[in-house]
Amino acid sequence: MAAYLARRLIQSVLILLGVSFITFLLLYVLPADPVRQIAGRAATAQTVENIRQQLGLDQPFLVQYGRYLGNLLHGDLGRSYLQKTDVAELIWSRLPASLLLMAGGIACELVLGLTLGVIAALWRGRALDQGLMVGSFVAVSAPQFVVGLLLLYVFAVRLGWFPIGGYGTFAHLVLPALTLGILGSGWYSRMMRSSMIEVLRADYIRTARAKGLDRARVILRHALPNAILPIVAMIGIDIGIFMGGIVVVESVFGWPGMGQLAWQAIQRVDIPIIMGVTLVSATAIVLGNLLADLIAPLVDPRIKLR
Amino acid sequence: MTEGRPSAGAGAPVLSVRGLTVSIGHKPLVEGLSFDLARDETLAIVGESGSGKSITSLAVMGLLPPQVRATAGQVLFDGRDLLALPESALRPIRGGRIAMIFQEPMTSLNPVMTVGAQLVEAITAHEPLRRGEARARAVAALKSVRISQAERRLAQYPHELSGGMRQRVMIAMALALKPDVLICDEPTTALDVTVQREVLDLLRDLQRQTGTALILITHDMGVVAEMADRVIVMKSGQMVEGGSIASIFAAPRAQYTRDLLAAVPRMGDGSGAIPVAKAPPVARLHDVQVGFDIRGGILQRVTHRVHAVEHVSLEILPGETFAIVGESGCGKSTLARAIAGLVPHQGHIEVAGKPLAGLTVEGRRAICRDVQMVFQDPMAALDPRMRVGDLVAEPLVIHGIGSPMERRERTEDLFDRVGLPRDTLDRYPHEFSGGQRQRICIARALALKPKLIICDESVSALDVSVQARVLALLNELKAEFGLSYLFISHDMAVVENIADRVGVMYLGQIVETGTRAQVFGNPQHPYTRRLIEAVPVPDPAYRRMPAARLTGEVPSPILPVGVSSVRVSLADIGGGHLVAIDEGGPGQ
Amino acid sequence: MTDVTASATKAPAGALRRLLRRKLAILGLAIIAVVVLGALFAPWIAPYAPEEQLFDGLTLEGAPLAPDATFIFGTDLLGRDLFSRMLYGAQTSLVIGVVANGIALAIGTLIGVTAGFFRGWIGGGLMRLTDLMMAFPALLLAICLAAIFTPSLWIVAMVIALVNWVQTARVIYTETTALAEREFIAAERTLGAGTGRILFRHILPHLVPTVIVWGTLGISTTVLLEATLSFLGVGVQPPTPSWGNIIFENQTYFQAAPWLVFIPGAAIVLLALAFNLVGDALRDVLDPTQRGRD
């Protein structure tokens, strides 16, 4: 177990190194010039050159990357070009809002997805099942900004049940979390349904029925824990999807999180922030995958970590 | 009504089935089946696949799959018709009064629940007991099925137990509430022969103690002969014949029963000459080892090795059938795969005088013309997207033999030879029955006119009557094409019928080898004896020697790196009959 | 025993027939047909030029017009006919859906098959690469790339392909490794079949259904990604209409003119839904292991 964890952590660090290198390289070779953005349109060539030297952007690529990594080891993500503040600090201040949003999103998709999936499986082939499955298709086919704008229009603008945007109370959280979670709930309900249908055919379900157990117990105690196993592996992948999703959702609802920060930084080519957010996101994804793998043996005793 | 004559101690029947018809849509799976089951009695329902025997048992339990319905008849139990009862009224009967165990102990237990939880649940579903009491009952149930360290087992998960143990847990669960009827659906089919012996002994002992009436669903006439008081023979959903065990075996009335009994391979009636071989061997193995690495630790270094095949030496002579027999995990299939070049080996393997190691791609291909393989599951071994004619012609294409016309002709000849109609050449594998598919595989193996065909459990998945015909075909082809076979099997009776020479494999090594007469007539190694004694004998008159109840578990072939297994050395006890003389074997 | 797998063989005609027996698949195909026809014949169907700012396209106060008999989808903030813009926008969605997804599918299949069939360092290396790609927040990467280039239609397609091949690669990889373990592949080896024969005659044909299914489902993902990028303003640039950038342009005004957001929004949902429905039906029809599940 300790050896497994150590190996996985080493792998994770290697993957993060790879992510940082590729991102850095992309930002280096791409045609956008951050110095132009900082200096403004009216700046003279001399000013531009001065800023470039100041930021060390005139140095060869590997030197720049090496310096970045060196700083990273001390937990220093660099300074924002435009906001002149510490990137780590900026991200840290935005992180709670994004985490809150993601937690809400995960709660939504799990509760909605798993419940509806189980219901569809149990009413398999009936109208309810078919309706739910068409619904799940619509959920996975709807871009988050459309869902967000629709929820906003109906529940905030028309009905006035929730605030139109902003941050602070539970009411502010509901619509963004729902927007973030609906896509996943579609996938989860489909997966849960097919997993459940498969499990209900298993020999051990027949054994459970042959023991004379009642239907509720057969489903809750025998089918459900087995049906949920393949879902656990999805947690890691989910976090990757959420990391993209928050950019859209935060933009639609004006949610002051990391997604907004990233979006503004991308528009202004504020490279340290882009790097920082990418790395934090990649870390979250890698940790999410690791977490999923660590949870798996708790849910399924047959899985051994080696 | 039923053909059954009253057996000893038969009073009013516990369970009676009257005119049971089970259908899927309008297609009947079981038609008009009637039988009575008396207290203390064991009734065997025997038949081949598709006979409806399992469906019958599920109908009695009310556990038919969706779309399958009991459309007529009655299942009378305790004065009530189970078919007419609602689910809620069936529940107390299921598990409480009528219990059932299934074929696959691997999949019949919930993998994510402990054995204890599953046992306790079975008990508390019917009796309102406290946790502690239920637990005590569970421990008692495990002890009654002779599971060692019963308390510790409660906390274990099914995957931590061996197949035989799992089936015993199933039996414990079924008998914990002392049901009136126990239905066993192929309870030992998935188990090794020595484990089957243990489970059958256990079932018989428990039945004597508790007086539970037993319905035994099986395809194995040996199991029937040993266990049953009465038999029902089924075919295509209908009862062909029913009667007492003695009458069915001694004087079967229906032709089908006679065919079925004739097809059953029996120990001790094999007859065949030992081939006089002066020619050089077709295949020669010297000190062959096959191992697989298991990695672990931070750097994924090799920590353990699976010692699948260890120091095997043997020779297969032209025109002979050499059988390797052993239980699951003994390495016999790995050995077959090594000779076929599918897994890398250490040591020396030589086919038709050419060593297998260090071959170029061309050399590898050339050697395929000398050695071919027929797998266990023909459906899995045939590419489902290709027409069978193309599949049989494919080896010719690969080796660039003949023009398309010639290949077609050759394929047609091969089809004739293995007994398949020519007009089926353009069909796909799934359109054939299991036996026909195996014939396709045999035709395919013959296409290159090899010297050696490896049959890896090639008849194990087939019904006995089909099995008998395929074995007969293999024997004809052997003479006609001058083939040698390496016949891998777990079935002692089949091996005794087909083999000229036999090697008994245990934990990756050959522990005894010799001619069939030597090994079966004068078994020397304790493991060989144990295998032979364990085989159920399809003769109700046969009385088994009272032997010690076997409960040994085969040790694991997985060892840490650096640790090597105990190597047995073989001694010739006369006439080429080699027996292991070590102490590390599975003595009793 | 014989009947269970009976319909596993895929005569293409049979597959099409089975597909057409499914109501939802027909619905999906119908939606796709409508969009394709609309996009193909946009110049003839569209009542106005997509970039034309119509004289009577705005109210006197300068507000867009709600859907009516003249402008069946209404007009946008600049007084252009929304219906015409939607028709031309369909071209964008379809071109990107097909091109970007085609590239992603090709890359993903190639990498997946290679990694799955040739184990050892080639396969290992390729799978590490996909692992690395999995660790990237995909949408963030796409936004970043698209923002930094000034995106043309083709660059958007490339960016989407670059991000989207990973999923296909993983699916094909899993499938290939499973196939390579199947017994009939071992049987082929014992016949002396070479690597090329096994790969092209016995592995690739089995992957075709998976590629078709993922190709179809992937169009849906691609359409959604294009719409999202365009919505953020980093996708296809106005004045070239795309369903995503129509929403981007009119988003600020959506409380007053909701049709400007919800008509293109609905179009995106319907098109993505259509490909999902068809892809799912294809999976049932083509994949014998899934047969009988529903």
Side-chain angles (χ1 to χ4, degrees):
Chain A
M1 178 67 201
Y4 174 83
L5 203 59
R7 202 178 70 239
R8 284 298 304 268
L9 285 174
I10 292 169
Q11 279 174 1
S12 304
V13 170
L14 288 178
I15 285 184
L16 291 178
L17 265 179
V19 169
S20 74
F21 181 80
I22 291 178
T23 318
F24 207 89
L25 185 66
L26 280 177
L27 294 171
Y28 180 81
V29 297
L30 289 184
D33 185 358
V35 181
R36 280 263 157 236
Q37 293 276 334
I38 302 166
R41 282 177 207 284
T44 62
Q46 186 54 43
T47 328
V48 167
E49 214 39 52
N50 285 345
I51 298 176
R52 197 181 297 281
Q53 269 175 20
Q54 224 178 336
L55 294 173
L57 294 178
D58 53 342
Q59 311 257 338
F61 169 71
L62 283 178
V63 176
Q64 288 190 37
Y65 180 63
R67 202 177 52 200
Y68 185 82
L69 276 190
N71 291 339
L72 199 59
L73 281 181
H74 303 102
D76 180 5
L77 289 172
R79 286 173 74 80
S80 158
Y81 291 162
L82 296 163
Q83 304 195 29
K84 307 288 180 206
T85 32
D86 210 33
V87 172
E89 233 168 71
L90 269 175
I91 293 179
W92 193 245
S93 71
R94 298 294 191 100
L95 203 56
S98 285
L99 287 181
L100 181 67
L101 179 57
M102 284 170 59
I106 290 179
C108 274
E109 68 176 11
L110 284 180
V111 170
L112 273 177
L114 301 191
T115 324
L116 296 180
V118 170
I119 290 174
L122 295 179
W123 272 265
R124 182 164 173 240
R126 319 260 187 88
L128 178 61
D129 172 30
Q130 282 162 358
L132 283 175
M133 282 307 105
V134 172
S136 77
F137 262 135
V138 175
V140 301
S141 307
Q144 285 172 323
F145 63 92
V146 172
V147 175
L149 289 172
L150 186 66
L151 291 177
L152 204 57
Y153 185 73
V154 174
F155 294 103
V157 177
R158 287 278 143 169
L159 298 172
W161 292 356
F162 298 100
I164 285 180
Y167 176 68
T169 68
F170 180 72
H172 286 105
L173 178 64
V174 175
L175 292 182
L178 204 57
T179 307
L180 198 58
I182 270 182
L183 177 72
S185 75
W187 289 122
Y188 277 123
S189 63
R190 299 191 69 77
M191 274 176 52
M192 191 64 194
R193 174 180 179 271
S194 59
S195 176
M196 191 76 182
I197 286 173
E198 193 164 319
V199 164
L200 284 173
R201 282 196 196 132
D203 286 350
Y204 52 81
I205 295 299
R206 191 177 56 185
T207 308
R209 291 182 62 207
K211 287 198 278 196
L213 303 182
D214 57 59
R215 187 174 154 83
R217 193 174 172 89
V218 171
I219 288 165
L220 294 177
R221 191 82 171 82
H222 288 268
L224 210 52
N226 280 288
I228 217 144
L229 299 179
I231 311 279
V232 173
M234 290 295 295
I235 297 175
I237 294 171
D238 237 24
I239 290 184
I241 294 169
F242 273 179
M243 281 297 164
I246 57 172
V247 179
V248 176
V249 175
E250 289 181 6
S251 148
V252 169
F253 288 94
W255 187 267
M258 244 170 52
Q260 289 256 43
L261 181 68
W263 177 221
Q264 286 155 9
I266 288 171
Q267 285 169 313
R268 298 180 201 156
V269 206
D270 199 339
I271 290 177
I273 297 186
I274 302 178
M275 277 299 295
V277 172
T278 308
L279 277 182
V280 169
S281 304
T283 310
I285 293 169
V286 167
L287 287 181
N289 278 315
L290 183 57
L291 190 70
D293 290 349
L294 290 179
I295 292 176
L298 301 181
V299 195
D300 186 347
R302 285 167 298 180
I303 297 174
K304 288 264 180 298
L305 300 178
R306 258 205 297 262
Chain B
M1 174 87 353
T2 56
E3 301 284 341
R5 57 204 69 171
S7 65
V14 206
L15 181 79
S16 63
V17 171
R18 308 236 172 278
L20 176 69
T21 299
V22 183
S23 315
I24 180 160
H26 291 291
K27 189 176 151 219
L29 301 171
V30 174
E31 240 182 324
L33 180 68
S34 302
F35 63 84
D36 286 327
L37 180 70
R39 220 164 277 285
D40 284 333
E41 173 185 53
T42 300
L43 171 72
I45 303 182
V46 53
E48 297 185 298
S49 44
S51 63
K53 55 190 194 300
S54 290
I55 287 291
T56 305
S57 64
L58 292 175
V60 170
M61 291 293 284
L63 291 176
L64 286 171
Q67 288 118 31
V68 180
R69 297 227 149 64
T71 44
Q74 292 176 307
V75 174
L76 296 171
F77 177 79
D78 224 4
R80 289 187 291 179
D81 178 9
L82 298 187
L83 296 182
L85 288 184
E87 181 76 12
S88 58
L90 269 177
R91 223 173 277 137
I93 296 174
R94 260 189 225 145
R97 310 283 309 278
I98 306 179
M100 183 160 179
I101 60 177
F102 302 95
Q103 172 170 353
E104 284 292 341
M106 308 289 169
T107 54
S108 292
L109 288 167
N110 188 336
V112 304
M113 266 172 97
T114 60
V115 167
Q118 298 187 56
L119 264 165
V120 164
E121 176 187 67
I123 295 164
T124 52
H126 299 280
E127 288 182 28
L129 295 176
R130 279 177 220 281
R131 265 202 73 72
E133 291 169 331
R135 214 184 120 85
R137 284 278 289 276
V139 172
L142 283 183
K143 283 185 174 154
S144 75
V145 295
R146 303 187 200 121
I147 284 183
S148 59
Q149 300 174 290
E151 277 90 358
R152 197 166 71 85
R153 303 286 179 211
L154 290 184
Q156 287 185 318
Y157 288 94
H159 72 274
E160 298 171 282
L161 307 178
S162 67
M165 287 251 251
R166 281 181 235 184
Q167 197 60 299
R168 276 191 264 177
V169 169
M170 284 295 290
I171 297 173
M173 213 150 74
L175 292 179
L177 292 162
K178 311 234 176 328
D180 301 303
V181 178
L182 174 63
I183 304 175
C184 303
D185 186 0
E186 301 272 11
T188 57
T189 307
L191 304 175
D192 274 327
V193 61
T194 55
V195 182
Q196 160 167 300
R197 168 93 278 126
E198 293 162 19
V199 171
L200 291 179
D201 286 346
L202 174 71
L203 273 174
R204 189 159 357 112
D205 293 354
L206 286 174
Q207 191 205 11
R208 280 193 197 130
Q209 287 162 23
T210 58
T212 300
L214 208 65
I215 298 181
L216 186 67
I217 315 273
T218 184
H219 70 283
D220 187 330
M221 280 302 195
V223 172
V224 172
E226 290 205 0
M227 300 289 293
D229 302 310
R230 281 192 306 130
V231 192
I232 289 174
V233 181
M234 285 185 75
K235 186 193 181 218
S236 317
Q238 288 178 331
M239 175 158 45
V240 174
E241 182 167 6
S244 78
I245 182 89
S247 67
I248 292 278
F249 275 83
R253 275 159 299 157
Q255 183 59 39
Y256 179 71
T257 316
R258 281 198 284 273
D259 293 344
L260 199 61
L261 283 168
V264 175
R266 284 156 206 271
M267 304 270 291
D269 69 340
S271 56
I274 305 144
V276 203
K278 287 279 165 266
V282 174
R284 213 161 64 78
L285 278 70
H286 182 71
D287 202 22
V288 173
Q289 280 177 274
V290 182
F292 305 102
D293 295 339
I294 297 178
R295 290 167 189 279
I298 299 180
L299 296 173
Q300 289 289 282
R301 269 194 299 237
V302 179
T303 57
H304 289 72
R305 277 179 75 77
V306 184
H307 297 254
V309 176
E310 289 277 278
H311 311 292
V312 167
S313 301
L314 57 88
E315 288 185 352
I316 301 167
L317 304 174
E320 81 166 342
T321 301
F322 191 103
I324 301 267
V325 57
E327 296 184 291
S328 50
C330 75
K332 56 188 192 300
S333 283
T334 309
L335 182 64
R337 286 174 168 259
I339 301 172
L342 290 174
V343 292
H345 64 274
Q346 291 171 287
H348 186 77
I349 299 181
E350 198 179 285
V351 176
K354 285 164 282 189
L356 220 58
L359 284 178
T360 59
V361 174
E362 275 313 305
R364 191 47 275 179
R365 179 171 303 176
I367 228 160
C368 294
R369 300 182 70 156
D370 292 322
V371 53
Q372 280 295 311
M373 185 149 167
V374 177
F375 293 84
Q376 170 168 5
D377 178 359
M379 191 62 208
L382 296 170
D383 187 337
R385 281 167 188 275
M386 285 179 71
R387 294 171 198 278
V388 294
D390 295 336
L391 283 166
V392 172
E394 196 180 13
L396 301 172
V397 177
I398 291 170
H399 293 268
I401 299 168
S403 66
M405 275 302 292
E406 287 163 356
R407 288 201 286 262
R408 181 84 184 180
E409 271 171 36
R410 177 109 181 85
T411 308
E412 285 174 349
D413 288 346
L414 285 166
F415 262 58
D416 292 346
R417 193 54 209 88
V418 298
L420 288 169
R422 284 182 175 207
D423 58 11
T424 57
L425 250 95
D426 290 325
R427 299 214 186 141
Y428 287 91
H430 69 259
E431 298 174 67
F432 294 84
S433 70
Q436 288 175 320
R437 278 182 216 141
Q438 202 55 291
R439 284 168 195 266
I440 294 167
C441 290
I442 292 169
R444 206 175 183 214
L446 282 175
L448 292 173
K449 299 185 183 148
K451 298 189 174 69
L452 173 67
I453 293 184
I454 303 168
C455 299
D456 184 6
E457 298 276 11
S458 303
V459 297
S460 308
L462 306 175
D463 278 328
V464 274
S465 55
V466 182
Q467 183 182 61
R469 289 197 291 274
V470 172
L471 286 173
L473 173 68
L474 285 174
N475 259 332
E476 288 165 32
L477 295 171
K478 175 171 137 182
E480 194 179 322
F481 290 80
L483 295 165
S484 300
Y485 292 123
L486 176 63
F487 195 87
I488 311 284
S489 181
H490 71 282
D491 189 326
M492 298 297 280
V494 167
V495 165
E496 210 208 342
N497 277 279
I498 193 167
D500 297 312
R501 285 196 301 141
V502 182
V504 179
M505 239 176 133
Y506 177 78
L507 265 183
Q509 311 195 40
I510 289 189
V511 294
E512 180 161 4
T513 178
T515 63
R516 169 181 40 194
Q518 286 166 342
V519 173
F520 283 89
N522 182 24
Q524 287 299 310
H525 197 273
Y527 182 66
T528 315
R529 286 192 202 147
R530 191 171 143 183
L531 277 181
I532 293 173
E533 275 159 18
V535 178
V537 179
D539 175 8
Y542 176 82
R543 283 289 154 258
R544 187 165 294 282
M545 293 292 131
R549 296 276 191 243
L550 301 163
T551 48
E553 297 264 322
V554 178
S556 165
I558 302 174
L559 298 171
V561 164
V563 178
S564 55
S565 55
V566 182
R567 183 174 180 177
V568 303
S569 45
L570 297 169
D572 193 334
I573 60 162
H577 186 180
L578 306 178
V579 181
I581 45 162
D582 73 308
E583 265 78 71
Q588 284 164 9
Chain C
M1 174 154 194
T2 33
D3 295 335
V4 179
T5 47
S7 41
T9 335
K10 296 103 240 174
L16 188 64
R17 211 173 322 116
R18 284 200 298 278
L19 187 65
L20 290 178
R21 272 206 296 267
R22 291 161 183 267
K23 279 187 215 129
L24 287 177
I26 292 176
L27 176 66
L29 286 172
I31 296 172
I32 294 169
V34 168
V35 176
V36 168
L37 289 177
L40 277 181
F41 297 105
W44 294 277
I45 304 173
Y48 306 95
E51 278 106 49
E52 189 185 355
Q53 300 189 10
L54 298 164
F55 177 70
D56 51 355
L58 292 171
T59 61
L60 291 176
E61 293 80 27
L65 298 173
D68 60 22
T70 330
F71 304 104
I72 56 169
F73 284 176
T75 59
D76 72 0
L77 292 183
L78 298 176
R80 297 173 294 194
D81 177 43
L82 187 61
F83 180 61
S84 305
R85 287 188 70 72
M86 292 279 299
L87 285 174
Y88 282 91
Q91 293 178 341
T92 313
S93 292
L94 286 175
V95 166
I96 289 191
V98 171
V99 172
N101 183 55
I103 299 170
L105 197 64
I107 300 176
T109 307
L110 193 66
I111 288 186
V113 170
T114 317
F117 190 69
F118 301 98
R119 309 290 187 78
W121 65 270
I122 302 179
L126 287 174
M127 280 333 276
R128 292 297 83 74
L129 179 67
T130 32
D131 284 350
L132 191 59
M133 286 300 292
M134 291 290 280
F136 270 103
L139 184 58
L140 204 61
L141 181 69
I143 295 169
C144 203
L145 288 175
I148 288 167
F149 290 109
T150 317
S152 71
L153 191 86
W154 303 109
I155 284 181
V156 173
M158 289 301 161
V159 165
I160 291 175
L162 197 66
V163 174
N164 265 2
W165 63 267
V166 190
Q167 201 55 39
T168 314
R170 288 197 72 89
V171 171
I172 297 287
Y173 169 79
T174 317
E175 192 113 327
T176 308
T177 44
L179 272 171
E181 302 276 309
R182 293 265 295 268
E183 194 147 88
F184 68 82
I185 299 297
E188 291 299 328
R189 288 191 202 283
T190 65
L191 292 180
T195 306
R197 184 176 187 88
I198 290 177
L199 185 58
F200 289 104
R201 289 299 192 84
H202 297 285
I203 296 225
L204 289 186
H206 284 263
L207 291 174
V208 169
T210 313
V211 172
I212 292 176
V213 168
W214 277 88
T216 315
L217 294 174
I219 294 182
S220 159
T221 322
T222 311
V223 166
L224 292 181
L225 191 50
E226 183 274 324
T228 302
L229 291 178
S230 296
F231 165 76
L232 290 172
V234 296
V236 178
Q237 294 301 299
T240 308
S242 117
W243 294 348
N245 74 23
I246 293 174
I247 300 179
F248 166 69
E249 289 176 307
N250 300 300
Q251 180 193 5
T252 47
Y253 210 63
F254 95 96
Q255 295 186 28
W259 66 90
L260 288 175
V261 166
F262 294 123
I263 290 177
I268 297 166
V269 176
L270 279 177
L271 187 60
L273 177 67
F275 282 109
N276 271 330
L277 289 176
V278 174
D280 188 64
L282 278 172
R283 173 173 21 227
D284 291 348
V285 168
L286 293 176
D287 184 354
T289 61
Q290 298 279 330
R291 181 88 21 83
R293 294 259 167 101
D294 293 274

